[in-house]
Amino acid sequence: MKGSRILIVEDERITALDIKYRLEDSGYVVTGMASSGQVAIEKAEGTRPDLVLMDIMIEGDMDGAQAAFQIHTRFGIPVIFLTAYADEDTLRRAKIAEPFGYILKPFEDKDLYTNIEITLYKHRVEQELKEKEAWVSATLKNMADAVIATDTSGTIKHLNPMAEILTGWTESNAVGKPLSEIIQVSYINGEMITDLVLKVLENGVFEGRDDEDLLLFSNGLKYPISITGTSIKNDKNEVIGIVYVFADITRQKQEKENLLNAKLSAETANNTKSEFLANMSHELRTPLTSIIGFSDLLLEETFGELNEKQHKYLQNVSSSGKHLLDLINSILDLSKVEAGKMQMAYEHFNVSEVISEINAIVVPLALKKGISLDISIDPKMHNMRADKLKFRQIMYNLASNAIKFTNNSGHVYIEGTLSGKLAQFRVKDDGIGISKIDQLKIFNPFTQIDSSSTRKYEGTGLGLALVKKFVELHGGYVWVESELGQGSIFSFIIPYDGVLPTSQKQATDKLQETSI
Ligand code: ADP
């Protein structure tokens, strides 16, 4: 190869110069010339040539064979010997240096170049092979799985360190032994797999995964394992061996069992919680209804006039009672959805009418804060099919939040549009906004961004959790777009006729998976 760098070691100056010119004429670079072994080693180390041309018989204490041995072993540089004659002892020592070629003096240019090119090529291939071996052996050594390689008769050829740990055999003791002496594999029912080698040879591969419950017996112990056996083929496509990869899955099995148990106990606990809440809510609602009912009755002053203080305190009793009732109803709804006991009551209704009802409830609050409230509902939405009460609750929660979290003189905008079979609603405000990080949690129950005791806004942190559940019960999804200080847009999509078309169902399922 033109440009290859060559060191010449030759003690006859004229011959050395002759070789140098011949090499340079052919495009090689001569990195130096040395006439003794010691100098050759120094120059090889200093100039790192691609190849050394070495006369075996050179001056000094160290002959060419010894110098070549050092150059090859210390620096990995290939050496070609130049020799006119040599006694048997010198040749024997020359062999130890693993020379890449011999050139007999005197030589033609052609012999020199052919030898150099073959040597450079051979060396490059050897280097690549060595590198590949280093990769493979480091990978095998560091693998968390056990690897055992056998020939086609099942005789062990190789064990990696993990296989040594798993089987209790060292590689040197195991090599040459039949595979069946080191490991046995059985199904969980005790049936042994006696033809592990045959199974791979017949099909090219054998796989036993963790769900097949395979056991490995080795070193007097047994482990649950996953196993893969694959045949190794040469370049003629002949099977020359098998490689087995085993993984001890004791931990995975244990973790799977723990997870399953944890899931079961969480489900039981959740069901117990839901039942408890359902019962408690009933027990709490009955007396609360009396408190609210009787305080409202007294406020009507049918049973006598109230003085200012009595009126004020009774109003407190009534509004606190209502607040508590709202909270209990929300908790009950949420636990019902979680327990899968929430029924859907689909009916046809006019969207504008429901939104007007909501408007009537929230407008006093908006007026109080000087907030303008605009509504735009697609006139095509006159006959939507959904659970009316839940839809009303969703819209109420979003609209009252928009007003609650918007400062005085702000704007709130409610919009409903129909596109194909999907109804989309948006509640937009120019209020306090929500940071990206908080957007990730606001749909979780009992989450309020400001939950401090000095917080400015009242609430339970259940409104958006219910919105999400109710929208999902309709087969839809809900999301928020917001920036702190810039206002928020809460949007949701539900099927207009209560049925989700298949293609859209897949799309919304996907969005639900990624939605918050
Ligand atoms: P809350 O009863 O506190 O309103 P929600 O579940 O309805 O409970 O809302 C959870 C939290 O999300 C609120 O406490 C508030 O911090 C935030 N949030 C909801 N809607 C808005 C909005 N329109 N603008 C700003 N923050 C909002």
Side-chain angles (χ1 to χ4, degrees), residues 74 136 146 180 200 205 231 233 242 256 269 271 278 303 354 371 387 393 402 440 478 515:
R74 280 176 57 191
V136 172
S180 54
V200 181
V205 67
S231 55
K233 291 182 181 166
I242 300 169
K256 212 166 151 185
N271 282 343
F303 305 104
V354 177
I371 291 173
D387 184 316
Q393 179 86 52
L440 297 174
V478 58
S515 76

Side-chain angles (χ1 to χ4, degrees), residues 397-398 401-406 429 431-434 442 444 447-450 457-465 482 487-488 490:
N397 287 4
L398 294 181
N401 272 352
I403 295 169
K404 183 161 66 172
F405 295 106
T406 297
D429 65 61
I432 61 170
I434 306 161
I442 51 172
N444 296 335
T447 303
Q448 291 176 306
I449 296 166
D450 179 9
Y457 305 98
E458 281 188 356
T460 57
L462 286 172
L464 288 180
S482 183
S488 314
F490 283 83

Side-chain angles (χ1 to χ4, degrees), residues 408-510:
N408 292 351
S409 325
H411 299 275
V412 171
Y413 179 60
I414 300 175
E415 181 193 60
T417 48
L418 182 60
S419 99
K421 291 188 170 256
L422 289 179
Q424 174 165 350
F425 297 90
R426 279 150 52 94
V427 178
K428 192 173 163 205
D429 65 61
D430 55 2
I432 61 170
I434 306 161
S435 71
K436 291 275 170 282
I437 192 96
D438 287 330
Q439 287 173 33
L440 297 174
K441 53 185 189 190
I442 51 172
F443 288 95
N444 296 335
F446 299 106
T447 303
Q448 291 176 306
I449 296 166
D450 179 9
S451 53
S452 63
S453 56
T454 54
R455 69 174 199 255
K456 210 164 136 194
Y457 305 98
E458 281 188 356
T460 57
L462 286 172
L464 288 180
L466 267 179
V467 165
K468 184 168 189 280
K469 298 273 184 209
F470 284 177
V471 168
E472 286 174 2
L473 281 174
H474 280 88
Y477 66 94
V478 58
W479 72 99
V480 60
E481 296 152 90
S482 183
E483 267 193 46
L484 210 53
Q486 304 287 313
S488 314
I489 307 175
F490 283 83
S491 311
F492 70 94
I493 282 184
I494 52 171
Y496 181 68
D497 55 8
V499 187
L500 208 54
T502 329
S503 61
Q504 256 147 14
K505 170 142 180 47
Q506 284 161 356
T508 45
D509 280 355
K510 233 188 165 79

